[in-house]
Structure formats: structure tokens, C-alpha cells
Amino acid sequence: MDLAQLTRDLEALVEETRAALAAAPDTAAVEALEVEVLGKKGRLTIVLRGIGQLPAEERPLVGAVANRVRGAIEGEIGARRTELGAAELESRLRAETTDVTTPGRPIRRGSLHPSIEAMAEIARIFGQFGFVVYESPEIEDDEHNFQMLNIPPDHPARDLWDTLYVDVPGHLLRTHTSPGQIHVMRTVKPPIRALLPGRCFRYEAIDASHGTEFFQVEGLMVDEGTTLGDLRGLLDEFAHAMFGAGKKTRFRPGYYPFTEPSVAFDVECLVCGGPGCPACKRTGWMTILGAGMVHPVVLRHGGLDPERYQGFAFGMGPERISMLRHRIHDLRLFLENDLRFLGQFR
Ligand code: PHE
């Protein structure tokens, strides 16, 4: 290795680097080239290792050449990087342009859940008859959910409500909104016209018509001289407002421990209108709620004298009302939160 050879090698390296830079398609290629030539194991570094073998007096000369070469290569790399970087920025800006004249996307509006929509409609209709909305607790004790409603601990009617218990002894998730009757009677003086909407819970096997969570709307009217006829007239008005004027209705005998007499309230089949079809199981009727005259025992538990006051109560499932109104066939849709389903309601 002599001085002339080293100088030639360095000049050749500059030439080669220049050619490679010209051919580099993008800044990433320039980056790679920089490492290849100037890096710790780069070609310039390797060439300069030869300096050690030169006589001492020649070394400063070579050092000067080497510094010039390094400077030249650095300059070329920098220039090419700037050139390619500008082109890359330019094309990126072109690709990412925002067209400010594009029309905006519509904002999706929320809608009421069908259970809520049905409850609002129920409250609106009974509101016209002077019924006021109250709330009562979702966690109840056994007394309010059962005993004060004339359902003693070992009463067989408990089988009607498969209960979910909480880990506070004697407490449970209410199986119906009827305990609200007791709360209202103990808080409000007659005349009472109360509506109690709320979530209820039952230990059920889930299928198209049973869920473990659902809403109920309870109605309670208490006054002097309230009759079953008043209940019938009110429910007729409700059915006509909810399902259409002129729809036929009927009372059937029913059974609830907290009402006497108890009834089931039916409306003519909304699908076939009477003759019978699969939707009404060929009966021509659809049951929309349970009701009855408040049992004297329940009035007494509510702190009212049954010799003076009479009342009626009714309880309905807004999901069932909604299913009848909108011809929905599966209760599970109400809990699955599928926006394609939910978005169809107001
Ligand atoms: N609580 C009853 C049920 O859960 C419904 C009902 C309410 C019946 C009020 C009569 C009176 O099925």
C-alpha cells in the first residue's frame, strides 16, 4: 500500500458513491448507502485503515485527502437526500389532499330503545287519565315483593315468579313491579292514580318469549267507590289508543294473589282481527296484561281501610306491547343491542 494507491482508491470511492447516489430511487436507499460508505464498517473506514501502514511523514498528507473525501461524500449524500426528500414530501402532500368541497357525512341520530318507546307511549296514554309516574326499588325484600302482596312464604303461587335472590338475606331482585303498589299506598293519600314502570328480573330459561330481565308497567288506582267497570273502561281506552280505535277487547278470569277478582285483558288479534291465525294460536285474541281489583289484604298492608277504599291494579310488559305493535317475534332482540334492530324506532 502506497500513497498513490490510497489516493486512487479514495477517488474511486467518491466516483462510485456519486454514481450510486444518482441511481438511488428514494431517501431510504440514500440512508443505506450512507451506512455502506461512511458507517463504522463502511468502505471509507476500511480504506483509511491502510493509513497505518504508511510511513509517518506521509500520514498527515493522506489524512488531509481523507478528510476532503469524507467531506465531499457527506456533501453529496446530503444534497441527494434533500432532493429526494422534497420529492417524497411533494407526492405525499398530493396524495393526502383534503377536498374541502366534499359534502359532509350525515350525523346518525340516536333513537329510543323499543322498550323505552313503549313505556313512554304507555305513560303518555295513562297520563291523559291523570296517572302519575312513580319509581320503586329494583332490589326489594321478600315482604314487599311477596308477603304484603298476599303471597306468604310457602304459598304455591310463588311458583309463578322464579326469583333471583341477592346475597343480603331476605332480599331479592323484584320479580314484578307490584311491590310498588305498597310503596305508593303508604306514601300517597287516595285518590291514587299511579303508574310504576321499571325493570324486573326472573330466573327463567331464555327463549323467544322469556327473558331474565324485562320491563313492566304497573298501574294502580285507589279511591272510594272504584269498580271493575272503571278498570274495564280505562283499559278499553288504553287498548284503543295503543292498538287502534274500535279494536275489540275482553276480560277473561285470571288469578293473582294480590287481586280479587283477577282478570286477563285481551285485545282482538292484531294480525287476523278475529278468525284465528298462527299469531294468536287460532284463538282470535291476544293477551296484553293482567289486572284485577286490589285485594283487601293488600289495601290493609298499604295502610288503607278496605271498607272505605277500593282500587284496581294492572301490570303489563312493554316489550310484549312493543312486539304486538311492531310484529316483533323474538324477545331476545330487546337485549342484544343490535343497532340494525334498535335504529328502527323513533
Ligand atoms: N304482577 C303481575 C305479574 O307479574 C301482574 C299484575 C299486576 C297482575 C297488577 C294484576 C295486578 O304478572
Side-chain angles (χ1 to χ4, degrees):
M1 176 70 68
D2 60 17
L3 181 55
Q5 179 62 45
L6 201 63
T7 311
R8 269 197 305 280
D9 285 353
L10 286 172
E11 260 145 30
L13 184 59
V14 173
E15 274 322 303
E16 255 181 70
T17 307
R18 198 169 282 148
L21 276 175
D26 52 29
T27 51
V30 174
E31 231 63 67
L33 197 64
E34 185 173 32
V35 173
E36 187 193 320
V37 178
L38 300 178
K40 250 197 213 120
K41 291 176 184 157
R43 293 175 60 194
L44 181 62
T45 319
I46 287 167
V47 171
L48 293 182
R49 236 170 245 154
I51 292 182
Q53 294 157 17
L54 292 177
E57 65 276 14
E58 286 182 358
R59 285 181 204 162
L61 263 170
V62 184
V65 174
N67 278 337
R68 193 169 44 71
V69 165
R70 172 178 286 277
I73 291 177
E74 280 173 355
E76 304 249 352
I77 287 177
R80 185 66 174 143
R81 183 189 280 125
T82 307
E83 185 187 350
L84 287 171
E88 281 166 19
L89 180 63
E90 181 66 22
S91 76
R92 220 185 82 202
L93 288 177
R94 239 197 319 277
E96 291 176 1
T97 342
T98 301
D99 179 358
V100 293
T101 66
T102 308
R105 291 186 198 88
I107 294 169
R108 284 186 55 177
R109 288 182 57 188
S111 55
L112 291 180
H113 188 282
S115 304
I116 306 295
E117 184 233 15
M119 284 195 285
E121 184 62 5
I122 293 164
R124 190 190 66 77
I125 295 169
F126 284 104
Q128 294 176 328
F129 295 98
F131 281 72
V132 175
V133 171
Y134 295 88
E135 277 184 79
S136 74
E138 290 179 355
I139 296 180
E140 277 290 3
D141 54 25
D142 193 275
E143 283 80 14
H144 284 83
N145 196 79
F146 291 123
Q147 295 171 40
M148 292 180 190
L149 293 171
N150 201 25
I151 313 167
D154 295 312
H155 196 285
R158 287 213 179 197
D159 292 350
L160 290 175
W161 299 278
D162 296 302
T163 308
L164 286 160
Y165 292 91
V166 297
D167 56 10
V168 179
H171 287 69
L172 46 80
L173 299 178
R174 66 173 170 200
T175 58
H176 52 178
T177 43
S178 299
Q181 293 183 32
I182 302 292
H183 293 293
V184 169
M185 284 189 275
R186 290 183 168 193
T187 332
V188 185
K189 276 206 184 71
I192 296 168
R193 290 179 193 198
L195 215 56
L196 290 142
R199 200 183 286 279
C200 302
F201 308 86
R202 283 184 202 175
Y203 184 59
E204 297 267 7
I206 295 167
D207 65 22
S209 55
H210 295 83
T212 55
E213 258 178 64
F214 52 91
F215 286 96
Q216 275 194 348
V217 180
E218 189 87 7
L220 174 70
M221 170 151 173
V222 180
D223 202 350
E224 293 177 26
T226 303
T227 69
L228 192 66
D230 295 330
L231 173 63
R232 180 71 208 266
L234 177 69
L235 293 182
D236 267 358
E237 294 295 337
F238 168 69
H240 294 157
M242 185 59 99
F243 299 110
K247 286 271 182 295
K248 281 199 289 284
T249 64
R250 72 174 182 184
F251 268 179
R252 273 186 301 123
Y255 174 71
Y256 299 99
F258 34 89
T259 46
E260 181 58 40
S262 301
V263 297
F265 182 63
D266 296 352
V267 65
E268 69 179 55
C269 176
L270 301 164
V271 177
C272 68
C277 70
C280 59
K281 299 202 181 83
R282 320 218 163 271
T283 63
W285 297 94
M286 289 172 155
T287 301
I288 58 172
L289 55 83
M293 299 304 291
V294 180
H295 197 290
V297 165
V298 176
L299 285 169
R300 221 173 277 124
H301 284 309
L304 300 174
D305 175 7
E307 297 300 326
R308 179 168 174 203
Y309 294 108
Q310 297 75 44
F312 60 70
F314 53 85
M316 69 185 97
E319 284 91 358
R320 177 161 176 77
I321 303 274
S322 180
M323 287 170 84
L324 294 176
R325 255 157 54 97
H326 302 297
R327 309 267 161 85
I328 299 163
H329 296 292
D330 198 321
L331 183 69
R332 285 168 287 207
L333 286 164
F334 288 81
L335 283 173
E336 281 167 357
N337 289 332
D338 183 336
L339 286 174
R340 292 169 303 177
F341 169 70
L342 297 181
Q344 304 174 95
F345 304 89
R346 89 179 148 83

